[in-house]
Every structure is written in structure tokens, then in C-alpha cells.
Amino acid sequence: MITPVLDLDLIRCFIEVAESKGFTAASRRLHLTQSAVSLKIQRLESLIGSSVFQRTSRTLELTPEGDLLLAYGRRLLALNHEMLDRISRVADTGSLRLGVMQQFGQQFLPTLLSEFNRTHPDVELSVEVGMTGELLAGLESDRFDLVVGAAGRSGSSFHEDRVLLREKLAWVQSTQTALKPGTTPLPLVLFPAPCGYRKTALDLLERAGRPWRIAYSSASLPSIQAAIQAGLGIGVLAKSAILPGMKAVGPKADLPPMPDVSIAIYSRRSPSNALTGTFATFLAKSINRMAK
């Protein structure tokens, strides 16, 4: 009898479902569809020849085999992490050039860079914060090794490596000088073109037939936030970028709903720096841990 070799990706998926007590929650944490998670669990059950979950209409419980698999699976993932960490510590020396979008850079980057510096002291990082379009142009021209920016972009020499997180966009205004419903034209506080948030906002307003004007524009996130707080107009921000003195615009303003947005890691199709994989994996694991 040939002993099957278990894919660690299936083990990780199983652990996420077990720890989150459901397929829906696990799919969000893994950035997969619920059907994709179900297929992975079915594949795992087929390989081990046993069911790992007892499914009822309300609960999801582990079978005895599932309990055993959970204990061993955690040990396997821990051993995998230890092995990769030991190898990376030996191999990870050199420099890495990063381009990071402002929204991610302001909220997450300082903490993550500090942690990376502690665990990879021989890697020299250089970081430039800017707008996604400009950063990706820098990736094309070999100014950066990796870029963290708004997902969904494409280029001839780079690709979207993986999605780091998803956030909700919101129309945002000052808590002190809220605009009156029906204000026309709508004064906007936006990043300059080619910002994706700006394009989304203007496209939605055009389709809704809502007149608008640019009241304030800046490439600096703190400047945009300050202008919104001062009541110069309505801005568009990820909810994580809403500061005290701001609030999401209520339904009475009759503005079109904003979509979710994703932030992704981009790398060149033919990477010239071996550290890109190390840092991309570190970022993905760190964001996933922070989200739990």
C-alpha cells in the first residue's frame, strides 16, 4: 500500500476551518471562495480515507480522526515554518527595494518593518511610499523589487503575486462641518490621477448623475486627511484610514455605495532578487496573523 503524501496547503485549510468553526469564516481568512475551501477539505478526506468534520445544520464538529489530524497538522505546519525560517536566516543577506502605497504604509508598514528587521538583521531595506500607479511604473523600470499597492493592476514585466487584505471604501466627511444633503456640485477631496480611489469615486458619481468639483487634491495621505477634517469636502478612504474628526457619510447624502478594495503584493515576472519571496511571504503571514 502506498502511503499518500499530504499537501501542507490542505492541512492549513483544514486547520483554518477547524479553528474558525466554519467554512465561510475560513474562506475569508484564506482569501478563497467557500467552494474552493470545501473542495480542499474533500481532497484531504479522500487522501486520509476518513471524514474530518461532523456536519449538522448548526454546528461543525471534529470527528475523532479530525481531532488527531488537527494535533498533527499543527505540528507539521510549525515544523515547516521552523525549517523555512532556519533556511531563510542562512540565505537572507543583501538589500531589498520596496515601493508601498500610502494607505498601507501609514497603517501597517512601520510595525511590520520593525519586526522584519529584528528577524532578518542582515537584510538592508529601502522603502519609498507613494501612489500605486507610480510605484508600479518603478517596478517596471527596475527601481523596486516589490510593490505593495491596490490590487487588480497589470503590466508587461510584473504580476500580482498575492492579495494581502481587503478593505471597505467609504465616503468620508468632517464630524464638525458636515455637508448638507443635496449639496451641488459635490466638493471632493481626492488624490490626483491616476489614483484608483479617485477614478472609482468619479465613475460612480458620473453614473449617478451627481455633479462634482475637486475642492482639494494632494498626493499626501496626511494632507488629504487634514483637508477632510477641516471640512473642505468629502473624501474617499479605506475605513482603516478614517481618523478622529472624520466620519463615514450617512445614507441621507444620497451617494452611491462604495466597493471593497484589495491591497496586493506585486513582483516582476523574472525577479532578480532572491529576497522578494522571503519578504512577500513574511508580509502575507504577518497580515493574516494580525487579521485573526
Side-chain angles (χ1 to χ4, degrees):
M1 177 180 177
I2 299 176
T3 302
V5 177
L6 297 183
D7 186 340
L8 287 179
D9 181 56
L10 301 180
I11 296 292
R12 176 172 175 257
C13 182
F14 161 71
I15 291 174
E16 291 288 355
V17 175
E19 291 181 346
S20 60
K21 302 293 186 182
F23 284 74
T24 301
S27 67
R28 288 196 294 265
R29 290 163 65 169
L30 292 167
H31 305 301
L32 296 171
T33 64
Q34 188 171 336
S35 61
V37 172
S38 297
L39 288 173
K40 286 179 182 287
I41 297 301
Q42 291 172 17
R43 172 62 177 159
L44 180 62
E45 290 177 329
S46 174
L47 286 171
I48 66 174
S50 299
S51 297
V52 293
F53 293 112
Q54 293 176 339
R55 300 168 178 83
T56 69
S57 59
R58 293 187 177 181
T59 62
L60 188 69
E61 301 293 338
L62 289 169
T63 63
E65 294 81 3
D67 273 321
L68 190 62
L69 181 63
L70 183 61
Y72 276 104
R74 285 169 171 163
R75 289 166 59 186
L76 284 171
L77 289 186
L79 186 60
N80 178 72
H81 178 76
E82 179 185 337
M83 175 190 68
L84 293 176
D85 186 59
R86 290 287 299 275
I87 293 173
S88 67
R89 285 174 187 271
V90 173
D92 289 349
T93 59
S95 61
L96 189 65
R97 303 163 300 167
L98 306 176
V100 183
M101 70 181 294
Q102 292 196 60
Q103 290 83 341
F104 185 89
Q106 179 167 312
Q107 182 185 6
F108 299 105
L109 194 62
T111 299
L112 293 177
L113 289 183
S114 177
E115 180 181 343
F116 187 81
N117 282 334
R118 287 195 303 271
T119 57
H120 300 77
D122 295 323
V123 176
E124 183 180 281
L125 293 175
S126 60
V127 182
E128 182 178 327
V129 176
M131 298 176 63
T132 297
E134 296 170 350
L135 297 175
L136 290 177
L139 189 60
E140 289 265 24
S141 64
D142 197 26
R143 196 167 86 245
F144 301 116
D145 300 306
L146 281 176
V147 163
V148 177
R153 309 296 179 89
S154 61
S156 59
S157 65
F158 66 84
H159 71 285
E160 185 179 298
D161 188 287
R162 68 191 82 182
V163 172
L164 286 176
L165 58 91
R166 292 182 172 86
E167 288 196 288
K168 183 72 176 178
L169 277 185
W171 299 100
V172 183
Q173 64 183 354
S174 169
T175 57
Q176 302 300 319
T177 55
L179 271 73
K180 297 179 180 179
T183 299
T184 300
L186 188 70
L188 299 176
V189 176
L190 298 174
F191 292 100
C195 172
Y197 292 6
R198 175 192 178 104
K199 184 178 187 307
T200 296
L202 298 185
D203 286 349
L204 287 172
L205 291 174
E206 291 290 347
R207 287 199 292 268
R210 186 75 183 267
W212 53 269
R213 66 181 180 87
I214 302 297
Y216 187 93
S217 180
S218 172
S220 164
L221 176 59
S223 179
I224 289 290
Q225 291 169 321
I228 295 172
Q229 289 172 319
L232 299 185
I234 289 178
V236 176
L237 295 174
K239 288 196 172 181
S240 61
I242 299 177
L243 300 179
M246 305 179 196
K247 65 178 181 180
V249 176
K252 290 184 179 180
D254 194 29
L255 292 174
M258 275 288 171
D260 292 340
V261 293
S262 297
I263 295 176
I265 304 175
Y266 291 89
S267 57
R268 282 197 298 277
R269 298 185 188 277
S270 300
S272 57
N273 191 330
L275 292 171
T276 56
T278 299
F279 191 80
T281 299
F282 164 80
L283 270 187
K285 288 182 176 179
S286 299
I287 293 298
N288 186 56
R289 184 180 68 248
M290 293 166 64
K292 292 181 179 180

